[in-house]
Amino acid sequence: MTAVLRILLRRVALLVPLLLGIVLFVFLVMRFSDVDPASAFFQGANPTPRQLHDFRERNGLLDPLPVRYVHFVGDLLHGDLGTSALTRAPVVDQVTTALPLTLQLTFLGLGVAVVLALAGGVTAAVYRDRLPDQVIRVVSLVGVAAPGFWLALLMIQYLAVERGWFPTGGYVNPADSVTGWLRTMALPAFALSLPVAAQLTRIVRTSVVEELDKDYVRTAIGGGLPPRVVVGRNVLRNALVNPLTVLGLRVGYLLGGAVVIETIFSLPGMGKLMIDAVKNGDPAVVQGVVLTTATGFVVVNLVIDVLYLLVNPRLRGA
């Protein structure tokens, strides 16, 4: 346990320069973009040059770039993401409102992807080179090639419009109706998770096949242990090491893919918030959404690193 704690503290220490690098990158990209914060603030009001100058001076936009970066980091440390040019409301309030839905969609999609990948990958490995394995490999190959937005449109057409099993869009708060929440989140979660599930299925199958070919598996089965016990208790635990490393990267795909999926299904999450901000020329909101999403990606990868340590005793020993 001491080794795990030591490695965890080292990972947390590495997060500080990584997050500062992310903040610097976002800061520079937004400052060198074509969107002028002063013009965005007065959009539609025909401000005079004097009003634009006063706004830039009041908000530190005329300061040297290093000074503006220091002030920017200081504001972030106090939880200030800026003010929306469109609504004049703090960006942190809009992010706080939209973030829970995006997290619900991301982790619901992650859960669906993990369940499908484990079921498909283990089944394909146990029945390797037989009909179930061949069918699962073909389906996973198609899933890898199919983009999430295309799957979302197909699901809306055939499952929502023609069959009427699910709504075409919108969102129901789980506090109001759990059944309504599941119906509104089912199609977005599956559309988001299927490409990830297809990729993970192939990785799980390869890892399980490698474990099944090892001597300890043949010894255990030869000693009288049921194959399902050997697979569930030993093989699966050892085979999950490689898929876990890939899973951390796929969480980033889920967070990014949620932008498109939320727009297609009209879900009021971070994705729709950012798309609306880009269309309306609201740089502070775009900046806040990007920073929040990038930070979430880094934190999730830290959690994946901890899980990786827990299932890999050799790494803890090293």
Side-chain angles (χ1 to χ4, degrees):
M1 195 64 185
T2 304
V4 174
L5 183 60
R6 185 168 59 250
I7 297 175
L8 179 60
L9 291 176
R10 192 182 311 138
R11 294 282 197 279
V12 172
L14 290 175
L15 287 184
V16 177
L18 179 59
L19 290 175
L20 287 176
I22 292 173
V23 171
L24 177 61
F25 176 77
V26 174
F27 173 82
L28 292 177
V29 168
M30 296 304 298
R31 294 310 173 275
F32 287 108
S33 68
D34 294 332
V35 180
D36 179 17
S39 300
F41 185 83
F42 289 105
Q43 56 179 293
N46 296 321
T48 64
R50 181 64 184 176
Q51 287 177 312
L52 292 173
H53 182 273
D54 290 343
F55 178 86
R56 294 188 181 105
E57 187 175 27
R58 188 167 57 251
N59 291 274
L61 299 178
L62 301 179
D63 294 336
L65 205 60
V67 175
R68 292 167 61 187
Y69 176 69
V70 172
H71 291 163
F72 179 63
V73 174
D75 291 340
L76 290 179
L77 292 177
H78 289 88
D80 184 5
L81 293 174
T83 302
S84 169
L86 188 65
T87 64
R88 306 294 194 267
V91 174
V92 67
D93 293 343
Q94 299 184 50
V95 169
T96 304
T97 302
L99 183 59
L101 190 146
T102 299
L103 292 178
Q104 291 172 29
L105 178 59
T106 300
F107 287 103
L108 189 59
L110 181 63
V112 172
V114 169
V115 171
L116 292 178
L118 288 177
V122 173
T123 302
V126 172
Y127 293 96
R128 70 174 123 172
D129 298 329
R130 285 180 277 178
L131 182 60
D133 180 27
Q134 295 171 356
V135 171
I136 291 173
R137 289 165 69 179
V138 171
V139 172
S140 63
L141 184 61
V142 173
V144 170
F149 71 89
W150 180 73
L151 292 173
L153 295 175
L154 287 181
M155 289 179 180
I156 291 175
Q157 178 63 34
Y158 293 106
L159 299 180
V161 175
E162 294 187 4
R163 300 290 187 273
W165 295 343
F166 300 95
T168 57
Y171 175 71
V172 175
N173 194 305
D176 299 330
S177 172
V178 175
T179 304
W181 176 76
L182 287 174
R183 292 188 74 244
T184 55
M185 296 294 286
L187 292 187
F190 271 96
L192 183 64
S193 66
L194 288 180
V196 176
Q199 296 173 1
L200 287 177
T201 297
R202 298 169 66 84
I203 297 171
V204 170
R205 178 195 177 277
T206 301
S207 297
V208 174
V209 165
E210 291 177 354
E211 287 297 319
L212 289 174
D213 288 337
K214 292 185 177 179
D215 292 337
Y216 79 89
V217 175
R218 288 192 290 268
T219 302
I221 294 177
L225 285 177
R228 65 177 182 276
V229 174
V230 178
V231 172
R233 185 178 300 174
N234 303 106
V235 172
L236 196 56
R237 177 186 176 90
N238 296 330
L240 285 180
V241 173
N242 290 332
L244 268 179
T245 60
V246 179
L247 185 62
L249 300 176
R250 293 299 91 194
V251 171
Y253 167 86
L254 292 172
L255 286 171
V259 173
V260 179
I261 298 299
E262 287 174 2
T263 304
I264 293 175
F265 288 94
S266 299
L267 297 174
M270 296 282 280
K272 191 173 185 301
L273 179 63
M274 186 170 72
I275 294 297
D276 291 343
V278 171
K279 290 192 299 184
N280 296 323
D282 200 341
V285 175
V286 175
Q287 182 176 264
V289 172
V290 172
L291 283 173
T292 304
T293 304
T295 303
F297 174 69
V298 171
V299 172
V300 169
N301 273 272
L302 175 64
V303 175
I304 296 297
D305 283 345
V306 174
L307 294 177
Y308 186 71
L309 291 172
L310 293 177
V311 301
N312 192 354
R314 288 173 296 181
L315 187 60
R316 295 200 301 268

